[in-house]
Amino acid sequence: MNTLAGLALRLGKMLLQAAAIVVLVFLLARVVPGDTVDVLATQGDLTDAQQQVMRHELGLDRSIGAQLLAWSSAALAGDFGESIRFRRPVAGMLATALPTTLRFAGMSFVVGLVIAFGLAVMAATSGSRRTTALIDAVNIWSIAFPTFCVGVLGILVFSVWLGWLPVLGSMVLPVLIVGIDSAGQIVKPLYEELREATAAAHVRTARAKGLHPLRVVVVHLLPTALPIALTLSGLVLAGLVAGTLTMEVLFGLPGMGSLLLNAIHGRDYPVIQATIVVIAVALVVINALTDILHRLIDPRVTA
Amino acid sequence: MSLALTSATRLDRRSDRPPVTVVVAGLLVAAIVVVAAVAPAIAPYDPLDQDLLALNQAPSAAHWLGTDHIGRDVLSRLLVGTRTTLLIGVGGAAIASLIGGGIGLVALALGRVADTLVFGAVDLVRALPPILLALLLVVALGAGVGSVAIALGLSFAPFFAYVARAAYRREMAQDYVVAARTFGGGPLHVLGLHVLPNLAGALITQAAIVLPRCIVTESVLSFLGLGSSPDAPTWGRMVADSSRYIEIAPHAILAPVIAIVVLTASLSLIGDDLRHRLDPLRHARGAAGPEPQP
Amino acid sequence: MTAAPLLVVRDLSVLAPHGALVRDVAFEVAHGRTLALVGESGSGKSLTALATMGLLPPGLEVGPGTRATFEGAPLALGDEPAMRALRGRRIAMVFQDPMSCLNPFLRIGAQIAEALQRAGLRGATARRQRTLALLGEVELADPAYARRYPHELSGGQQQRVMIAMALAGSPDLLVADEPTSALDTSVQAEVTRLLLRLQDSRGMAMLFITHDLALARTLADEIAVMRTGEIVEAGPAARVLSAPRLAYTERLVSARRILLSAPATERPGSDEPVLAVEGLAVDYPGKGLFGKPLRALAGASFTLARGRTLGLLGESGSGKSTLAAAIVGLRRPAEGRIRLPGCTLTAERPTIPQALRRRCQLVFQNPAGALNPRLTIERLAGEPMRLAGMSRAESRDRVADAIAAVGLDPALLGRYPHQISGGQRQRVCIARALLCEPDLLVCDEAVSALDATVQVQILMLLRRLQQERGFAMLFVGHDPDVVGWIADEVLVMHRGRIVDRCAARDLGADDRHEHTRCLLAARPDRLAA
């Protein structure tokens, strides 16, 4: 019962966050001086009367609240309006861009987690100095080298100097760059947590029982690190957004990042709005899911 | 006990002297700040001057770092860009700490209801990662040094609010705060002697962590074409401008990339050292004996 | 001794990067017998136990000269595979804090079954049955326990589960590291009795680590006293305790003996009441938004006169600390009133006016937490002076006097709290409280976190200061000997109520309340085997 109430509360928070994002994005897009029709007016010759008609068609002459409501209800039904520049439904553009981004972000996420967990578990259980040095190196790497700088250097080295083609349009290099960056952001706290957990009393109990080291790690050590791992994964996701945006642009991948960038340059507000809302709501949902997963795994968390 | 004592004092002494890497990082940052201060005086060319007869030139005696795709001197742009880059980064971190710390403290001072409401709102805003929020704000506020700094400040402010609240709560729960009340100490005394010193430490630490992130985020924004206006070059903007000419003029992009890496890496190292130094639990940890028992 | 000893350890040293934490420790444990390693915190007794199990924390290792035999066969304590082969089958271990020692993610049954599997028991059904049998053996007979998670059990039950797990491999040697120290006194007694019974029925040998000499006397055949990483005295339990050869052991033994001696002569108290509590009740807010408030304390009434000491005796959760907190104005009374000099606390006015707060001072259980780590001793002790508007020079003299009065060297004034010992920190707290010139000093478990020898010093200090200055004292504690020694009158608390009250010297009388007798019978030295 308590667990159910907790779940309901968390889902409620998720919906509230999603709604807040929609409102925020919508309002910010309206703060910009000049609306969609003004943008179009600068591109082609439109008479005042034509502009008036257009505003009415697009619903821009209604109050902000009414516009927000109209946009949200349409968005819920999968209709994000029409791109100003391309005169195509935004939903369709999102649908073509989303798979690339999902694949890119997903692969980077997995690469990051594998590297981070691999190194952290190895270092925490063996105490090997070489592994901890490697952890420090990856950590410093991710702090010191912003992903887009590494991306530029990567293109320079592999494409321009070594001539290994094709670097552009391929996901290998950007996934590695963003993956290592994500790993660097979490590997140190993860390692510290695991090292602390290795010395934790219940892991010592497991060893005192004479259990096999592998069993000690899998059954007793790793679950302890789960809450922090979930928290850190949330952090990685937020970091992935920046990585995905820049890498897509830099490596010419036709995903949400490229879509957003082009929309910004073309002041294509419906696309900007829809892209940011979709990315942000996805993050909110993923964060809620990790929280819920945490609840399900840890018997101590009930409410 | 004697053993715990010696190990504690040793710990203190060791961490009083910063490691060599941090000293080097400090010197680099100092040098960059000096450059930012005197940049217009030492820049060999006007950073905006286009020499259409010298496009994408490799480094030479005339142009030490070469020229970019419209013939602007890379060194001059780098030097002058230092100022804008630092200004936006420091401004963003300062705005974030003032707004975030301020909101956090006011909410805490006003009591439970205000705390719940304000932090509920902060929670909602934080659902957006800083880069997305900053991006959105820049789109709304328009280009320019000021608006980018404000956008960064607002995006990173939630971190400071959380840090302020965590430090405040941790301190208020301490027995020595209870003790201070029993001596007749009022809220001002408790805040002044016990809470604020720690709070200030936590906020400074957070600012040191956020500063390089602000600089990186600015360069990402610039890279995406959303940074400052064209007449105020930043390093991120230089990367963005030159990214399409990477094959013909690698020097034009390499210079700002290296500059960004050096600055963020140095700032991160200093911030990390500061974090260890101002850790409120450091003394307590140092004092823990090797064999904790009742 | 007829047979060869089960475990022999010679020249054991435990090395840390900056030096040895345990040096030249030698002991043996005979079949079916108990050796107690006794020492204060930091003496190296737990490290010795962990080294014996091959479970030293990372960064520490067994010294190269160490030799050991188990059942006559040589044993390399630093050899992980060799030690793992013994652990869980021949040697098992029970630790101090059972809550953190159990895996929070697994049900009790699964954790015991895992130990059984390790011990070589095949078949899930067989393991399930054996798990229930083991739980029955540690007096958790209800099969429902096997399905619980650790956090759903009380501390005593958790420790029973740990013991059941240790028994899974039918070990020859049980290493028990302060297994009862984290538990309430009465639970402590139950677990101790259980251990004694199990050892008897199974014929196990036991290596028992404790800071409590009285407990060691009850349990052990042999005692080895440790100090700063070395065994300073060893021998048969009765001999070590009745005729200690070393001054240090003598001090340890006498620390307890002082408490057991009759309290000093009846002190002249006045009739002028400093504190009067009338029908006091305190509620804690319930869980969640609509949870019902929990009554932590109900119907408390008593008075305390100037120069007298009232003891509040009870286990954790008995409401004694809640009562203390309400008296210093930190908890809102739900009902009743607290009369203090100059003010009365009620539900409507739960806090003491700022100007009067100094007259009612609090000494905390954990002195490290009560001293701001960023300030020097001088500034910490001077805090009440500065608040009273005194100049720095004026306050410096007063602080120096107060520091001297609590028996501290004025040279410590420039130090920070983490640079002095726990006993010294508590003295600083007392000095600071006294600088407020209180009418009432509330000591909330003020000596519980300290070593036995330090405990006695602090208690004697408190008593001397009270005689000199005449403040009234409310002393909250869980140890009947400590509370009975320092108090004139004792209130016994149980589940939020005062169940018994008597003069301190009558605490041991036979006609006391059932719970009082239960608390007194749980004292380690009263646990007859």
Side-chain angles (χ1 to χ4, degrees):
Chain A
M1 194 59 211
N2 236 344
T3 324
L4 275 182
L7 282 184
L9 215 65
R10 187 62 189 85
L11 287 175
K13 185 183 167 191
M14 182 191 86
L15 289 178
L16 209 63
Q17 278 182 328
I21 284 170
V22 170
V23 173
L24 194 71
V25 173
F26 198 86
L27 289 182
L28 283 176
R30 292 297 174 282
V31 171
V32 188
D35 59 19
T36 309
V37 178
D38 291 331
V39 176
L40 287 176
T42 57
Q43 289 166 357
D45 287 328
L46 287 174
T47 64
D48 279 359
Q50 278 173 311
Q51 287 189 27
Q52 238 22 74
V53 172
M54 212 162 178
R55 282 212 170 81
H56 185 73
E57 272 174 9
L58 290 170
L60 293 177
D61 53 352
R62 285 185 285 169
S63 73
I64 285 195
Q67 290 184 44
L68 175 62
L69 217 62
W71 189 84
S72 320
S73 52
L76 274 180
D79 175 12
F80 290 95
E82 200 171 67
S83 158
I84 302 175
R85 266 178 85 193
F86 299 103
R87 291 278 169 196
R88 279 174 50 200
V90 178
M93 296 167 73
L94 290 176
T96 43
L98 206 52
T100 309
T101 298
L102 281 181
R103 220 173 53 188
F104 178 70
M107 274 160 54
S108 309
F109 187 65
V110 170
V111 167
L113 284 196
V114 167
I115 294 177
F117 264 88
L119 284 179
V121 169
M122 250 159 65
T125 51
S126 73
S128 119
R129 207 159 287 160
R130 209 171 292 166
T131 324
T132 47
L134 197 57
I135 286 178
D136 278 334
V138 175
N139 178 245
I140 289 172
W141 171 273
S142 82
I143 294 172
F145 297 83
T147 43
F148 80 95
C149 290
V150 182
V152 166
L153 292 174
I155 291 177
L156 207 57
V157 171
F158 292 106
S159 174
V160 179
W161 290 344
L162 294 177
W164 294 355
L165 289 170
V167 168
L168 297 184
S170 148
M171 272 195 189
V172 180
L173 197 54
V175 161
L176 271 179
I177 291 171
V178 177
I180 292 175
D181 184 73
S182 314
Q185 286 175 28
I186 60 165
V187 68
K188 199 132 193 215
L190 192 64
Y191 161 66
E192 274 160 12
E193 180 77 14
L194 278 178
R195 197 188 48 190
E196 226 163 80
T198 331
H202 75 266
V203 176
R204 191 179 56 188
T205 307
R207 291 182 60 213
K209 286 200 241 175
L211 299 180
H212 191 274
L214 198 66
R215 190 178 174 97
V216 174
V217 169
V218 174
V219 179
H220 297 278
L221 179 61
L222 282 183
T224 322
L226 228 112
I228 185 97
L230 286 175
T231 313
L232 291 171
S233 306
L235 236 161
V236 168
L237 279 177
L240 270 183
V241 175
T244 308
L245 286 182
T246 50
M247 287 300 124
E248 284 184 4
V249 173
L250 203 55
F251 286 83
L253 301 171
M256 302 283 280
S258 303
L259 185 65
L260 179 61
L261 188 74
N262 288 329
I264 288 171
H265 284 302
R267 298 179 74 183
D268 198 345
Y269 293 118
V271 179
I272 299 178
Q273 197 170 311
T275 319
I276 292 187
V277 164
V278 166
I279 295 176
V281 169
L283 285 177
V284 166
V285 171
I286 292 173
N287 271 335
L289 288 182
T290 31
D291 264 16
I292 288 169
L293 198 63
H294 178 193
R295 264 161 229 278
L296 293 180
I297 288 169
D298 193 336
R300 287 167 299 181
V301 188
T302 48
Chain B
M1 210 13 117
S2 62
L3 198 110
L5 260 177
T6 49
S7 69
T9 36
R10 183 167 28 236
L11 195 85
D12 285 352
R13 209 168 299 141
R14 191 185 52 204
S15 52
D16 277 343
R17 203 182 304 135
V20 185
T21 45
V22 175
V23 174
V24 173
L27 290 175
L28 284 172
V29 171
I32 291 173
V33 170
V34 170
V35 166
V38 301
I42 59 168
Y45 298 89
D46 183 325
L48 301 178
D49 260 3
Q50 304 178 8
D51 182 355
L52 296 178
L53 297 176
L55 303 184
N56 289 327
Q57 273 193 356
S60 64
H63 300 281
W64 288 5
L65 291 179
T67 59
D68 68 5
H69 62 285
I70 45 177
R72 292 173 298 196
D73 181 53
V74 174
L75 178 62
S76 302
R77 285 178 72 72
L78 196 67
L79 292 176
V80 174
T82 310
R83 178 180 284 191
T84 326
T85 305
L86 271 186
L87 211 61
I88 293 176
V90 173
I95 293 171
S97 54
L98 286 179
I99 293 181
I103 285 179
L105 280 184
V106 168
L108 291 163
L110 289 181
R112 233 176 113 179
V113 178
D115 180 89
T116 312
L117 286 177
V118 169
F119 278 94
V122 173
D123 235 13
L124 292 183
V125 173
R126 205 189 54 153
L128 276 175
I131 178 80
L132 268 193
L133 192 55
L135 202 144
L136 203 58
L137 285 167
V138 175
V139 170
L141 296 173
V145 173
S147 64
V148 175
I150 292 172
L152 289 175
L154 289 176
S155 309
F156 284 100
F159 294 91
F160 289 88
Y162 285 112
V163 163
R165 180 163 72 163
Y168 180 86
R169 287 197 173 159
R170 188 175 55 229
E171 285 300 293
M172 289 310 276
Q174 297 289 343
D175 277 348
Y176 52 76
V177 167
V178 177
R181 288 216 202 102
T182 68
F183 308 144
L188 280 181
H189 166 80
V190 169
L191 271 179
L193 186 65
H194 299 298
V195 179
L196 283 183
N198 181 47
L199 208 66
L203 288 178
I204 290 171
T205 307
Q206 187 63 23
I209 293 168
V210 161
L211 177 57
R213 293 189 60 191
C214 273
I215 290 173
V216 170
T217 310
E218 184 278 324
S219 53
V220 170
L221 287 177
S222 289
F223 176 72
L224 296 175
L226 282 170
S228 57
S229 46
D231 53 341
T234 65
W235 295 344
R237 193 173 184 93
M238 290 173 69
V239 177
D241 287 348
S242 312
S243 63
R244 254 171 292 167
Y245 305 91
I246 188 165
E247 285 170 42
I248 352 172
H251 58 270
I253 202 166
L254 214 47
V257 162
I258 290 171
I260 292 171
V261 167
V262 167
L263 180 58
T264 52
S266 302
L267 287 175
S268 302
L269 278 173
I270 296 169
D272 206 42
D273 188 60
L274 208 60
R275 186 168 62 90
H276 286 302
R277 229 161 251 282
L278 295 178
D279 183 355
L281 300 175
R282 196 181 90 194
H283 291 307
R285 279 201 204 107
E291 193 185 3
Q293 276 176 5
Chain C
M1 232 168 272
T2 49
L6 178 65
L7 173 73
V8 180
V9 172
R10 293 278 175 262
D11 304 326
L12 170 69
S13 55
V14 174
L15 306 178
H18 56 274
L21 299 176
V22 170
R23 283 173 307 275
D24 303 330
V25 161
F27 60 86
E28 33 194 79
V29 187
H31 285 279
R33 311 272 285 176
T34 299
L35 167 70
L37 281 181
V38 182
E40 298 190 295
S41 54
S43 63
K45 55 188 192 301
S46 286
L47 284 180
T48 303
L50 289 172
T52 309
M53 290 292 292
L55 288 176
L56 283 176
L60 302 185
E61 53 182 30
V62 175
T66 306
R67 287 169 295 131
T69 61
F70 190 78
E71 286 197 315
L75 179 65
L77 294 180
D79 179 7
E80 173 64 17
M83 293 308 294
R84 180 151 54 85
L86 286 182
R87 290 197 298 254
R89 296 192 185 202
R90 311 300 306 277
I91 323 177
M93 187 159 180
V94 178
F95 301 91
Q96 177 174 353
D97 176 16
M99 175 71 198
S100 63
C101 283
L102 289 164
N103 187 334
F105 295 93
L106 292 180
R107 292 176 201 275
I108 298 306
Q111 301 196 42
I112 299 177
E114 190 183 46
L116 286 167
Q117 187 182 20
R118 150 69 192 152
L121 188 61
R122 303 267 163 262
T125 326
R127 282 201 291 269
R128 206 170 305 130
Q129 281 166 355
R130 190 83 192 90
T131 298
L132 294 182
L134 279 171
L135 281 173
E137 207 176 339
V138 295
E139 296 156 10
L140 296 174
D142 189 344
Y145 282 117
R147 289 194 301 276
R148 301 255 175 93
Y149 285 102
H151 71 276
E152 296 168 332
L153 302 181
S154 71
Q157 291 169 335
Q158 287 164 352
Q159 196 58 291
R160 287 165 196 273
V161 170
M162 284 296 293
I163 295 171
M165 225 150 70
L167 295 179
S170 303
D172 303 299
L173 172 66
L174 181 67
V175 179
D177 184 3
E178 300 258 17
T180 61
S181 307
L183 306 174
D184 263 334
T185 325
S186 58
V187 183
Q188 222 169 40
E190 287 166 20
V191 171
T192 308
R193 284 200 197 98
L194 173 68
L195 278 173
L196 278 170
R197 205 177 40 97
L198 288 171
Q199 187 190 17
D200 197 43
S201 64
R202 288 173 166 256
M204 285 184 301
M206 192 147 70
L207 178 61
F208 196 89
I209 317 298
T210 183
H211 66 282
D212 189 336
L213 272 174
L215 191 60
R217 187 212 305 264
T218 310
L219 278 161
D221 305 299
E222 311 266 325
I223 285 183
V225 179
M226 289 196 71
R227 190 190 187 192
T228 58
E230 287 174 89
I231 290 184
V232 290
E233 179 155 7
R239 204 278 296 153
V240 172
L241 290 172
S242 58
R245 291 191 183 130
L246 225 74
Y248 175 71
T249 322
E250 168 72 36
R251 262 213 317 283
L252 269 184
V253 174
S254 64
R256 203 68 200 176
R257 207 175 285 149
I258 292 171
L259 291 184
L260 293 176
S261 67
T265 49
E266 191 71 22
R267 276 163 292 165
S270 75
D271 292 333
E272 181 198 345
V274 171
L275 167 70
V277 173
E278 297 161 14
L280 180 68
V282 177
D283 288 345
Y284 279 110
K287 273 187 186 167
L289 271 178
F290 310 106
K292 267 174 72 178
L294 271 143
R295 183 136 292 193
L297 177 71
S301 300
F302 58 87
T303 59
L304 173 58
R306 184 169 298 283
R308 311 269 299 172
T309 300
L310 182 67
L312 271 185
L313 179 63
E315 299 188 294
S316 63
S318 63
K320 59 186 196 305
S321 289
T322 309
L323 177 51
I327 287 169
V328 290
L330 296 173
R331 285 250 163 237
R332 175 191 294 273
E335 288 167 19
R337 62 188 66 215
I338 302 163
R339 288 184 199 281
L340 290 163
C343 68
T344 300
L345 308 183
T346 58
E348 292 74 38
R349 291 192 36 204
T351 55
I352 309 177
Q354 206 162 317
L356 294 172
R357 285 193 195 151
R358 303 163 69 87
R359 303 174 69 174
C360 190
Q361 285 300 303
L362 188 59
V363 178
F364 297 84
Q365 171 170 9
N366 175 10
L371 300 172
N372 188 337
R374 285 176 294 271
L375 302 177
T376 60
I377 303 303
E378 178 168 9
R379 285 201 65 192
L380 285 165
E383 196 180 339
M385 302 287 90
R386 303 298 301 281
L387 275 169
M390 234 175 247
S391 73
R392 191 161 266 203
E394 235 178 320
S395 100
R396 186 171 299 144
D397 293 343
R398 297 278 305 274
V399 166
D401 288 348
I403 286 291
V406 296
L408 286 178
D409 184 351
L412 294 180
L413 281 173
R415 301 260 189 102
Y416 286 91
H418 69 278
Q419 294 171 320
I420 61 176
S421 73
Q424 289 173 326
R425 279 184 219 137
Q426 196 60 294
R427 284 172 195 265
V428 171
C429 290
I430 293 170
R432 185 172 63 168
L434 292 181
L435 280 167
C436 293
E437 296 174 352
D439 297 313
L440 172 65
L441 189 66
V442 177
C443 301
D444 189 0
E445 298 269 16
V447 298
S448 310
L450 305 172
D451 279 329
T453 49
V454 185
Q455 248 182 14
V456 174
Q457 291 164 8
I458 297 288
L459 288 172
M460 289 165 85
L461 170 72
L462 283 171
R463 177 173 267 193
R464 176 170 63 76
L465 290 168
Q466 187 184 32
Q467 272 161 7
E468 288 169 11
R469 302 175 185 226
F471 52 81
M473 186 151 65
L474 182 70
F475 193 94
V476 180
H478 67 278
D479 185 335
D481 293 335
V482 167
V483 175
W485 186 83
I486 193 143
D488 302 302
E489 195 190 350
V490 177
L491 303 181
V492 181
M493 298 201 56
H494 186 48
R495 295 186 180 165
R497 294 190 167 273
I498 297 174
V499 294
D500 198 7
R501 61 180 78 200
C502 65
R505 61 180 174 307
D506 298 333
L507 200 56
D510 293 331
D511 56 348
R512 297 255 57 89
H513 184 271
E514 180 193 0
H515 186 68
T516 313
R517 279 183 292 149
C518 168
L519 283 179
L520 275 118
R523 284 180 296 176
D525 44 321
R526 308 297 152 85
L527 288 174

